[in-house]
């Protein structure tokens, strides 16, 4: 009964009820664009699916593959249908789809909301239902990534971003109803235009918050900054998409990247804990052990795919607050302190945005996800081990652009008046709670 009421309210508000049937978790898989742009064929794409299976990525949930642009002929046929490129996909697209199915990988669709895709191939604007039927006939069934190139004149569409992207959402609904099937997950790729966190959740399960990611720290930092503005829209049924992963693209990729291992750890951590899609974008045929160690971090994947907690981590220590130094941030130096909840415990992400090693500490009472007066077991989700017990605060040492991903679980009341180092604890937790800490007679415990 409760679910029926929710669906009725969503329908009344203009939100598609399909958002509550599929796409509850971020999509995990592979996207060809960052590794190859248009320089790929069916055999190369199948090799990525094979590598996904052999390296254990499929078993962890990376189970779909997107041919990101450039997979058809450059013109439709006389009936307006997409045409297969039999040079690059000799057996046809359905046979190619079956080739990746053998490795436990499904196929997802890519197109653009305009006259052409970004690579200059036929796009789905005006052909939404037709192209969905073609993709379905090829065996594609997981997600539609919908780009934003070659936009029709306003006097043709008479729509803004919401109106144009809703066309494909409606077509996806019609297809699902026609065949009584689960609809495609719909992920709009409109580069953050018109503040999509305000409107995209009404029609999609994912929306890009940023321009295209690049394999440089400046790009990763700027996207983390944009996430700090839009994180509140992400929840169980819809996700801000921070774009594809650049993990593994040091010395390779399109363009060639220069991310350090620390920067790649931070990149993956921020994407995973922000509940973004996790779409691999490197050539897995030559993935290093370090690359695979990042992509296969099951502890972070479990939080990304948490079946009970859909909210992204939120920044804390933001803006001016009394009694402790606050952090200011921008596109070059994004928010360093983030936290939230999960099915497994409280999650803290600490990012060193500076170019030198830093000691970075926080007080437990700065964040809502933990309780004052309690101590917490601390698990380092990159070291994959218990690293201590936090009593009132915790400090980490991080190299340039590196990250700490910490899972805190309750370990009982903190020691009465005595901290781990033998010093006496104040009766009220610092820094914030002490501002109004009062005894039963109404007098403040701390003067000033």
């Amino acid at each position: 009964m409760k679910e029926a009421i929710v669906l009725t309210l969503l329908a009344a508000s203009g939100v598609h009820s399909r958002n509550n049937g599929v796409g509850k978790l971020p999509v995990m898989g592979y996207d060809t664009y960052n590794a190859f742009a248009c320089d790929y064929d069916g055999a190369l794409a199948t090799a990525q699916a094979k590598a996904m299976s052999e390296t254990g990525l499929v078993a962890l949930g990376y189970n779909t593959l997107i041919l990101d642009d450039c997979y058809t002929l450059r013109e439709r046929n006389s009936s307006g249908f997409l045409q297969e490129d039999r040079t690059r996909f000799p057996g046809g697209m359905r046979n190619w789809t079956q080739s990746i199915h053998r490795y436990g990988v499904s196929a997802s669709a890519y197109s653009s909301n305009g006259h052409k895709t970004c690579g200059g191939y036929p796009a789905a604007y005006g052909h939404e239902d037709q192209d969905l039927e073609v993709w379905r006939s090829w065996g594609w069934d997981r997600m539609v990534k919908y780009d934003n190139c070659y936009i029709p004149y306003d006097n043709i569409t008479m729509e803004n971003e919401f109106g144009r992207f809703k066309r494909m959402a409606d077509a996806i609904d019609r297809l699902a109803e026609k065949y009584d099937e689960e609809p495609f997950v719909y992920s709009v790729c409109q580069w953050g235009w018109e503040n999509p966190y305000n409107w995209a959740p009404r029609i999609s399960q994912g929306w890009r918050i940023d321009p295209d990611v690049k394999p440089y720290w400046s790009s990763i930092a700027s996207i983390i900054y944009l996430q700090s503005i839009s994180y509140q829209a992400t929840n169980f049924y819809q996700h801000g998409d921070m774009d594809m992963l650049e993990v593994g693209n040091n010395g390779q990729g399109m363009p060639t990247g220069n991310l350090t291992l620390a920067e790649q750890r931070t990149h993956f951590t921020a994407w995973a804990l922000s509940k973004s899609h996790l779409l691999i974008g490197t050539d897995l045929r030559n993935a290093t052990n370090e690359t695979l160690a990042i992509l296969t971090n099951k502890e972070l994947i479990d939080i990304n795919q948490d079946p009970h907690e859909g909210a992204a981590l939120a920044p804390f220590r933001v803006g001016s607050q009394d009694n402790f130094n606050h952090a200011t941030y921008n596109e070059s130096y994004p928010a360093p302190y983030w936290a939230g909840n999960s099915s497994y415990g409280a999650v803290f992400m600490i990012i060193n945005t500076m170019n030198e090693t830093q000691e970075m500490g926080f007080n437990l009472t700065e964040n809502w996800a933990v309780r004052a007066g309690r101590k917490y077991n601390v698990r380092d989700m990159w070291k994959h081990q218990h690293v201590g017990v936090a009593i009132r605060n915790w400090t980490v040492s991080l190299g340039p652009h590196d990250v700490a991903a910490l899972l805190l679980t309750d370990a009982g009341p903190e020691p009465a008046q005595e901290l781990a180092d033998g010093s006496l604890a104040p009766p009220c937790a610092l820094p914030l709670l002490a501002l109004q800490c009062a005894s039963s007679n109404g007098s403040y415990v701390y003067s000033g």
Side-chain angles (χ1 to χ4, degrees), residues 302-319:
D302 284 346
I303 294 170
N304 179 263
Q305 299 287 300
D306 192 331
H308 306 296
E309 177 60 65
L313 293 198
F316 68 95
R317 195 181 287 186
V318 173

Side-chain angles (χ1 to χ4, degrees), residues 184-229:
F184 283 95
V185 173
Y186 184 34
S187 191
V188 300
C189 178
Q190 38 41 263
W191 317 317
W193 288 7
E194 294 185 1
N195 305 119
Y197 47 84
N198 290 326
W199 56 267
R202 296 173 178 267
I203 58 172
S204 69
Q205 288 82 41
W207 60 91
R208 276 277 294 281
I209 70 169
D210 54 286
D212 288 357
V213 66
K214 301 297 181 187
Y216 318 124
W217 174 249
S218 58
S219 176
I220 302 303
S222 69
I223 294 171
I224 294 173
Y225 169 75
L226 291 172
Q227 175 64 10
S228 70
I229 297 169

